[in-house]
Amino acid sequence: MSASLTDERRKTLHRRVRFIVGFTISYNVIEAVVAMWAGVLASSAALIGFGLDSVVEVLSAAAIAWQFTRKDPERWEKVTVRAVGVAFFALAGYVTVDAVLTLIRQEGAEHSPLGLGITVLSLIIMPLLAWFEVRTGRELESKSVLADSKQLILCIYLSGTVFIGLVLNSLFGWWWADSIAALVVAFLAIREGIEAWRGDVESPFEVLEDLEDDD
């Protein structure tokens, strides 16, 4: 925790974290229901994985909410970050198995306007929410908040990947595109899970800033 923060500023940031996780939980509950419903209707492994990622985001946000209701949030930093890492691994495991089985059976997903709609909505909302949480986590110097923000970053990658897979399948009949998109998501989830477990939660935005400074 930064020693330069006043008690009043710290309290403000803690309230901001609670707002962020509250909004994240509310939005992702809706997103999970819509995405998994659309995924079942379209037999889409990627959409179902997208819905499950929303569930994982809810669990991750709930862990952060729990941490910041404690009297001393910093004391619970390590266990919260690792809980986020476990959530990443659980998502990766399910998505991988489902995608591989779909490829073996050669079962392509059907066209899903509802799936396309929910992924586009996430591509609009999640970047703004992630940016807001990253700024808050960096000011607090909170690894758990930054780890949770990487869940949102993963959702952005996932939304784009699933959207592309659905479009390719709809336009060109590439039945395997949906499963490949799901496997990309699983790979990203494993990578983020390992980093969270190790406590290596550098913000993706921070990486971009470092690259700009090098230029």
Side-chain angles (χ1 to χ4, degrees), residues 11-25:
K11 290 178 181 178
T12 298
L13 292 172
H14 286 184
R15 286 195 297 269
R16 186 185 294 177
V17 170
R18 290 193 287 271
F19 166 78
I20 291 170
V21 296
F23 181 87
T24 299
I25 289 172

Side-chain angles (χ1 to χ4, degrees), residues 94-167:
Y94 176 85
V95 170
T96 298
V97 171
D98 194 37
V100 169
L101 289 176
T102 300
L103 286 171
I104 292 174
R105 293 193 296 261
Q106 297 187 8
E107 297 174 348
E110 298 177 10
H111 177 63
S112 177
L114 184 60
L116 290 169
I118 193 65
T119 53
V120 169
L121 183 61
S122 287
L123 285 170
I124 296 172
I125 293 176
M126 286 301 152
L128 296 174
L129 189 61
W131 175 80
F132 191 39
E133 187 168 22
V134 165
R135 283 178 58 89
T136 304
R138 287 176 64 181
E139 188 171 354
L140 275 172
E141 296 182 3
S142 170
K143 287 187 176 182
S144 59
V145 174
L146 286 174
D148 186 61
S149 73
K150 296 192 81 170
Q151 282 278 7
L152 301 181
I153 299 296
L154 179 62
C155 183
I156 298 169
Y157 295 154
L158 178 52
S159 301
T161 303
V162 173
F163 177 78
I164 292 171
L166 291 173
V167 169

Side-chain angles (χ1 to χ4, degrees), residues 88 91-93 95-96 181-191:
F88 275 120
L91 170 66
V95 170
T96 298
L183 290 174
V184 170
V185 170
F187 169 77
L188 292 172
I190 291 172
R191 187 188 68 178

